[in-house]
């Protein structure tokens, strides 16, 4: 915990910032090196397409890369698949090195949080805010997944930092840069617009007020107002419009389906307006978002402030302007609170608001304790780092501590989990498949996965196939709801693979798996290939080849 000692020397906060950044990056890198399990569904899918995009650049040049940019993910913005390209060029075509994108996002996130904290309060608060951000379970957990949400959080935080800086000193260069960052955000995820709209409107309103105060000419006011919006929108739309022009309808439909259809219920907590759903979701947010410890600490500090009669000073600590920008930043939380899809990673871009609230609250509450201030600050901030190490590396084995439904310390949280040292033999299974057939140079065979679990699904098999350049196309039985159509589809497959035993199938997907297995085993279309692969979860792999293909 020596890194916390620098908190006692506010003049050294730049050194403290780099120390904290290196520590959090270091723990992420160590976790990634120790973890041998394959990525799960969405992160495998993104990594697969990042390799496809890299191959498009190598084989088709910039024109092939541009075509891939417009069609890479179809329903989702493609930036996440483009970002690893420089890393692949430098370090080789290996999806493991793509996680360097998260390290860059981490540095960006910490820098933005530090700048906001230092601008509105002081450098000490900025440093504490970085520490809190780095020890919140949802954020350090997402840094180890290849998903869009961690990069989205960094881009949103950077946007808010640039907006507030430009608003403070009327800097058009920062607004121009902010426009480019907004373009990148829109190419990361369409919901970036949900997070960023209100802060932009607030800053634009303040800009309009300043223009009115500085000029009495209506024409000049309109011209300045137009220039401000033009500076922001031209780079944002210039980056994002080409992709949205081609894919907007499909992307919008994807948002509706993932947020408001039955597909969203896999993350649900029951009827969205019921007290049970709200209570369950808020409990999950507290446990796996900022952590129950940080939420409890914030409530404790607020209680101390009011009990000691210092609430008037608290108003000075959080000026109206600061409260407004933090509230507007966090307002999308209501969309997820009352929405149908309760996946916690959607709130990740809002979590820096919590760190930028708790850090100045800590500084204010401990401000008049003189010589006790630094020891207490050190004491308060020690536990979250210990919790990070315990959750990530099993520091205390399987020990956990809870207070009713709230977790004080746990060996596993949503997205934050211990590393898994056990590799899965996806490539070995695919090589067994490939040895049983011959393909023409331009030909690829279809393989259906009859299992759909986190470590054994079509997406991570697809990643293994693309990484090894195997002549296979991977699909899954998990999402077909029409049993007759599913049985017809499986008969057209060259291969069928599933695992017996181990982790059971989900109750949401793969509902016709029993009928599918009967068709494969007794329908006369398939013959089983010898495969003696035992999986880390105890399951056994079965591989079937279509007799007629």
């Amino acid at each position: 915990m020596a890194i916390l000692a620098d908190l006692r020397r506010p003049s050294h906060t730049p050194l403290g910032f780099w120390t904290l950044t290196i520590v959090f990056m270091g723990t992420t890198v160590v976790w990634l090196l120790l973890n041998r399990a394959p990525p799960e569904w969405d992160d495998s899918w993104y990594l697969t397409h990042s390799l496809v995009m890299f191959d498009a650049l190598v084989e088709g040049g910039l024109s092939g890369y541009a075509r891939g940019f417009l069609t890479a993910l179809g329903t989702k913005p493609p930036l996440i698949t483009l970002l690893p390209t420089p890393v692949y060029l430098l370090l080789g075509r290996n999806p493991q090195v793509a996680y360097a994108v998260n390290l860059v996002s981490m540095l960006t996130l910490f820098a933005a949080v530090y700048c906001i904290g230092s601008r509105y309060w002081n450098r000490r608060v900025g440093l504490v805010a970085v520490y809190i951000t780095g020890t919140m379970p949802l954020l350090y957990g997402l840094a180890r997944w290849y998903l869009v949400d961690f990069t989205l959080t960094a881009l949103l935080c950077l946007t808010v930092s640039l907006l507030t800086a430009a608003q403070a000193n009327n800097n058009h260069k920062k607004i121009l840069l902010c426009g480019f960052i907004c373009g990148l955000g829109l190419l990361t995820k369409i919901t970036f617009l949900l997070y960023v709209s209100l802060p932009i409107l607030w800053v634009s309103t303040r800009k309009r007020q300043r223009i009115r105060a500085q000029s009495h000419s209506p024409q000049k006011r309109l011209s300045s107002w137009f220039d401000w919006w033009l500076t922001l929108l031209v780079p944002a739309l210039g980056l994002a419009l080409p992709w949205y022009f081609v894919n907007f309808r499909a992307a919008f439909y994807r948002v509706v389906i993932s947020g408001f259809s039955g597909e969203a219920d896999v993350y649900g907590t029951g009827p969205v307006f019921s007290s049970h759903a709200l209570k369950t979701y808020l409990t999950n947010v507290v446990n796996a978002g900022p952590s129950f410890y940080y939420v409890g600490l914030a409530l404790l500090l607020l209680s101390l402030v009011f009990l000691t009669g210092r609430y008037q000073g608290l108003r000075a600590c959080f000026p109206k302007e600061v409260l407004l920008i933090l509230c507007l930043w966090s307002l999308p939380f209501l969309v997820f609170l009352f929405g149908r899809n309760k996946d916690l990673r959607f709130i990740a871009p809002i979590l820096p608001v919590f760190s930028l609230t708790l850090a100045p609250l800590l500084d204010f509450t401990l401000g008049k304790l003189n010589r006790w201030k630094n020891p207490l600050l050190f004491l308060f901030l020690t536990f979250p780092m210990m919790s990070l190490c315990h959750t990530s590396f099993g520091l205390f084995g399987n020990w956990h501590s809870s207070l009713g439904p709230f977790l004080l310390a746990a060996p596993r949280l949503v997205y934050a989990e211990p590393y898994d040292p056990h590799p899965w033999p996806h490539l070995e299974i695919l090589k067994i498949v490939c040895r049983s057939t011959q393909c023409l140079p331009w030909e690829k065979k279809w393989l259906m996965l009859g299992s759909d679990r986190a470590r054994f699904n079509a997406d991570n098999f697809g990643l293994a196939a693309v990484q090894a350049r195997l002549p296979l196309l991977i699909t899954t039985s998990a999402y077909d709801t029409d049993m007759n159509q599913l049985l017809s589809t499986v008969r057209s497959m060259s291969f069928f693979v599933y695992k017996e035993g181990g982790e059971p199938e989900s109750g949401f997907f793969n509902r016709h798996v029993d009928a599918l297995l009967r068709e494969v085993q007794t329908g006369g279309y398939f013959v089983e290939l010898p495969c003696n692969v035992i999986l880390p979860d105890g399951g056994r792999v079965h591989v079937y080849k279509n007799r007629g293909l």
Side-chain angles (χ1 to χ4, degrees):
M1 305 308 294
I3 58 171
L4 296 178
D6 198 49
L7 293 172
R8 296 181 295 177
R9 300 189 292 276
S11 62
H12 290 179
T13 49
L15 176 61
F17 170 80
W18 287 111
T19 303
L20 287 174
T21 301
I22 291 170
V23 167
F24 291 127
M25 282 186 173
T27 56
T28 302
V29 170
V30 170
W31 189 95
L32 290 170
L33 291 175
L34 293 174
N35 186 61
R36 303 291 303 281
E40 297 189 8
W41 291 276
D42 285 0
D43 36 349
S44 290
W45 190 65
Y46 289 128
L47 288 169
T48 300
H49 284 85
S50 74
L51 293 176
V52 170
M53 285 301 301
F54 178 73
D55 292 341
L57 176 64
V58 173
E59 297 168 8
L62 291 177
S63 61
Y65 199 63
R67 288 193 298 271
F69 165 77
L70 292 175
T71 59
L73 300 183
T75 61
K76 296 183 179 182
L79 183 67
I80 195 69
T81 65
L82 274 62
L83 293 176
T85 298
V87 187
Y88 292 152
L89 288 170
L90 289 173
L91 302 178
R93 186 183 176 276
N94 185 339
Q96 190 69 17
V97 303
Y99 291 92
V101 171
N102 285 355
L103 299 181
V104 176
S105 297
M106 184 179 291
L107 175 60
T108 303
L109 173 63
F110 290 166
V113 167
Y114 178 75
C115 288
I116 296 172
S118 302
R119 181 181 307 118
Y120 283 129
W121 293 279
N122 54 61
R123 293 188 298 173
R124 179 190 184 93
V125 168
L127 186 59
V128 175
V130 168
Y131 181 89
I132 295 171
T133 301
T135 50
M136 287 196 284
L138 185 58
L139 290 182
Y140 72 72
L142 283 173
R144 300 158 188 178
W145 295 58
Y146 197 76
L147 298 169
V148 299
D149 304 273
F150 192 72
T151 298
L152 190 74
T153 302
L155 291 174
L156 177 64
C157 205
L158 181 58
T159 301
V160 174
S161 178
L162 290 169
L163 282 171
T164 54
Q167 185 269 332
N169 57 23
N170 199 28
N171 190 323
H172 273 244
K173 290 183 179 179
K174 290 184 178 178
I175 291 296
L176 182 66
L177 179 58
C178 184
F180 280 107
I181 300 302
C182 286
L184 295 177
L186 289 171
L187 288 175
T188 302
K189 197 171 186 177
I190 192 173
T191 52
F192 180 79
L193 193 61
L194 170 68
Y195 301 107
V196 82
S197 294
L198 292 178
I200 287 178
L201 290 175
W202 173 76
V203 171
S204 69
T205 302
R206 294 299 304 270
K207 176 65 178 178
R208 186 178 182 183
Q209 293 171 350
R210 188 175 292 106
I211 291 172
R212 284 183 173 181
Q214 293 173 350
S215 174
H216 298 288
S217 169
Q219 186 175 2
K220 190 173 182 180
R221 289 176 186 173
L222 182 61
S223 176
S224 298
W225 179 247
F226 181 77
D227 287 346
W228 189 91
W229 275 106
L230 201 64
T231 304
L232 178 69
L233 291 180
V234 166
L237 297 180
L239 284 174
L241 266 185
W243 186 86
Y244 280 95
F245 181 79
V246 175
N247 300 284
F248 178 77
R249 180 176 295 182
F252 183 76
Y253 179 73
R254 180 70 243 170
V255 170
V256 173
I257 291 297
S258 63
F260 303 100
S261 73
E263 183 179 312
D265 291 342
V266 67
Y267 303 106
T269 53
V272 293
F273 294 107
S274 68
S275 59
H276 170 76
L278 297 177
K279 178 182 176 182
T280 302
Y281 180 66
L282 290 173
T283 301
N284 293 339
V285 167
V286 169
N287 283 333
S291 79
F292 174 65
Y293 176 82
Y294 275 140
V295 173
L297 179 60
L299 294 175
L300 173 63
L301 294 175
L302 285 172
S303 300
L304 289 175
V305 168
F306 281 93
L307 287 175
T308 56
R310 297 178 61 196
Y311 48 86
Q312 293 295 337
L314 190 62
R315 294 179 61 184
C317 180
F318 290 94
K320 184 178 179 180
E321 177 180 324
V322 178
L323 279 178
L324 188 57
I325 191 66
L326 292 179
C327 288
L328 293 175
W329 186 351
S330 60
L331 203 57
F333 178 75
L334 296 177
V335 176
F336 308 121
L337 178 62
F338 298 107
R340 195 166 172 178
N341 193 324
K342 300 295 188 183
D343 193 337
L344 289 182
R345 61 189 168 106
F346 294 156
I347 69 165
I350 300 171
L351 286 185
V353 175
F354 185 87
S355 61
L356 289 166
T357 303
L358 180 56
L361 182 60
L362 259 172
D363 192 64
F364 172 77
T365 307
L366 303 179
K368 293 189 177 181
L369 295 181
N370 298 324
R371 63 177 183 174
W372 293 103
K373 177 179 180 178
N374 294 321
L376 283 174
L377 183 61
F378 181 92
L379 181 64
F380 284 146
L381 296 182
T382 297
F383 181 80
M385 183 61 78
M386 295 177 62
S387 178
L388 182 154
C389 293
H390 174 52
T391 302
S392 304
F393 306 107
L395 192 65
F396 304 111
N398 292 322
W399 175 77
H400 69 277
S401 177
S402 61
L403 186 63
F406 298 108
L407 300 175
L408 288 170
R412 180 186 173 92
L413 297 166
V414 177
Y415 293 106
E417 55 188 18
Y419 70 90
D420 185 346
H422 305 292
W424 285 62
H426 295 80
L427 184 57
E428 179 184 345
I429 295 167
L430 293 180
K431 286 182 177 179
I432 291 173
V433 169
C434 290
R435 285 196 294 266
S436 71
T437 188
Q438 291 183 345
C439 294
L440 297 173
W442 60 86
E443 185 182 15
K444 290 192 175 184
K445 302 284 189 179
W446 277 100
L447 181 151
M448 176 178 280
L449 256 291
S451 300
D452 188 63
R453 303 310 301 136
R455 308 301 191 197
F456 199 90
N457 60 69
D459 292 313
N460 46 40
F461 269 87
L463 175 60
V466 171
Q467 183 182 358
R469 304 181 189 274
L470 299 178
L472 295 171
L473 296 172
I474 314 295
T475 188
T476 179
S477 61
Y479 309 117
D480 283 313
T481 56
D482 186 326
M483 185 175 69
N484 292 328
Q485 179 62 43
L486 178 61
L487 295 179
S488 175
T489 301
V490 74
R491 294 179 194 125
S492 68
M493 295 288 110
S494 297
F495 298 94
F496 180 83
V497 174
Y498 82 99
K499 74 180 184 72
E500 178 186 16
E503 183 184 10
E505 288 294 304
S506 164
F508 287 95
F509 302 118
N510 232 0
R511 295 181 179 179
H512 302 302
V513 63
D514 292 336
L516 186 65
L517 292 180
R518 284 195 299 270
E519 172 65 22
V520 170
Q521 293 169 348
T522 64
Y525 286 88
F526 289 87
V527 59
E528 185 169 6
L529 301 177
C531 180
N532 296 317
V533 176
I534 303 298
L535 301 173
D537 70 346
R540 181 172 180 176
V541 178
H542 294 270
V543 179
Y544 291 86
K545 180 181 179 181
N546 195 318
R547 298 173 185 270
L549 295 176

